[in-house]
Amino acid sequence: MTTSAQAIALRSRNPLRLVAWASIAYLVLAAVHAVQAVLTLEDRLGHARTGIRLGFDPQLPVPEPPHDSFSGAAYVVPGTTMYLDHATGTVAHVPSASIALQSAGDLVGIFTGAGVALCVLLLVRWIIQGKPFVAAATRVLVALAIVVMIGFESESVLHFAGSNMLTTVLFGKPEQPDGMYSLPGGPQVIIGFVPLYIGAALLGLAAVFRVGAQLQRETDGLV
């Protein structure tokens, strides 16, 4: 280890150890959440016909206010329509495919977060050892970029697919015997920009580490 690398390692050791322990704690928490997700999946599949707790968008219009003065409080403007966009209830006859896809999305999100924590733990370990520009660090950063881009986008796609398997929920309303929930029509964005941006930034950082590793080898060769 060079003198400069030793100095960097000594200055950064305590904060980086905190990051390392936080990453380990996240991995343990992810394992617990993964077990819980599997148990929840089993329970929901077992009660799909009799009823499970489910959140959905009822798209119910809210009655308009009779006048436009409410003692200075915020109010819905008369002549406009407000909708309830979320409801939670015990819903029976939920398709098993919908439950499975939703749970798969939850598990993918958990494992993606665990993959991020593992990559961070490896990077922190090398920095603490005074070897931030080892060749393996570049590969880990590339892997981290792939995990972030594919993992979090897959989570969104699976959740969207699970929601689309549940096209209708019937429920009673005062003004009609059966209410109906249907998925909103038109195009919907299911690919997020943030994971793609973070992945691209990590790929750029991997390129920087690749150059740093090359310079480190050249410097070590001169010593």
Side-chain angles (χ1 to χ4, degrees):
M1 186 189 303
T2 63
T3 303
S4 60
Q6 289 175 336
I8 293 173
L10 289 173
R11 287 197 302 268
S12 307
R13 187 165 294 168
N14 289 335
L16 288 176
R17 281 179 175 169
L18 178 62
V19 175
W21 280 111
S23 298
I24 293 172
Y26 189 95
L27 288 170
V28 173
L29 189 63
V32 173
H33 284 171
V35 173
Q36 290 177 338
V38 172
L39 294 176
T40 299
L41 170 60
E42 182 181 3
D43 180 71
R44 287 167 70 86
L45 288 174
H47 295 87
R49 293 297 174 185
T50 57
I52 62 174
R53 295 293 292 176
L54 186 72
F56 58 94
D57 179 0
Q59 300 182 10
L60 284 177
V62 178
E64 298 176 3
H67 49 81
D68 58 0
S69 178
F70 294 89
S71 303
Y75 61 90
V76 177
V77 177
T80 63
T81 302
M82 183 176 70
Y83 289 89
L84 295 177
D85 61 6
H86 187 79
T88 301
T90 302
V91 181
H93 291 272
V94 179
S96 297
S98 176
I99 297 174
L101 287 171
Q102 290 283 351
S103 295
D106 294 340
L107 285 170
V108 167
I110 293 170
F111 290 136
T112 299
V116 171
L118 179 60
C119 290
V120 170
L121 182 61
L122 291 173
L123 291 171
V124 167
R125 176 188 174 190
W126 290 321
I127 295 174
I128 290 177
Q129 293 175 346
K131 301 181 293 184
F133 296 118
V134 294
T138 301
R139 294 192 292 270
V140 167
L141 281 169
V142 172
L144 180 57
I146 295 172
V147 166
V148 168
M149 288 190 289
I150 296 180
F152 288 119
E153 298 294 2
S154 298
E155 178 187 10
S156 298
V157 170
L158 287 168
H159 282 156
F160 177 78
S163 297
N164 271 277
M165 296 297 297
L166 184 66
T167 56
T168 301
V169 175
L170 299 178
F171 52 92
K173 291 173 59 179
E175 62 270 25
Q176 63 187 63
D178 287 318
M180 180 174 292
Y181 152 68
S182 298
L183 289 174
Q188 298 183 56
V189 178
I190 59 174
I191 301 298
F193 171 74
V194 174
L196 296 178
Y197 172 75
I198 294 176
L202 289 170
L203 290 176
L205 186 59
V208 173
F209 267 67
R210 187 179 295 111
V211 173
Q214 182 178 355
L215 292 175
Q216 185 69 60
R217 287 194 298 270
E218 294 176 356
T219 302
D220 292 341
L222 294 176
V223 177

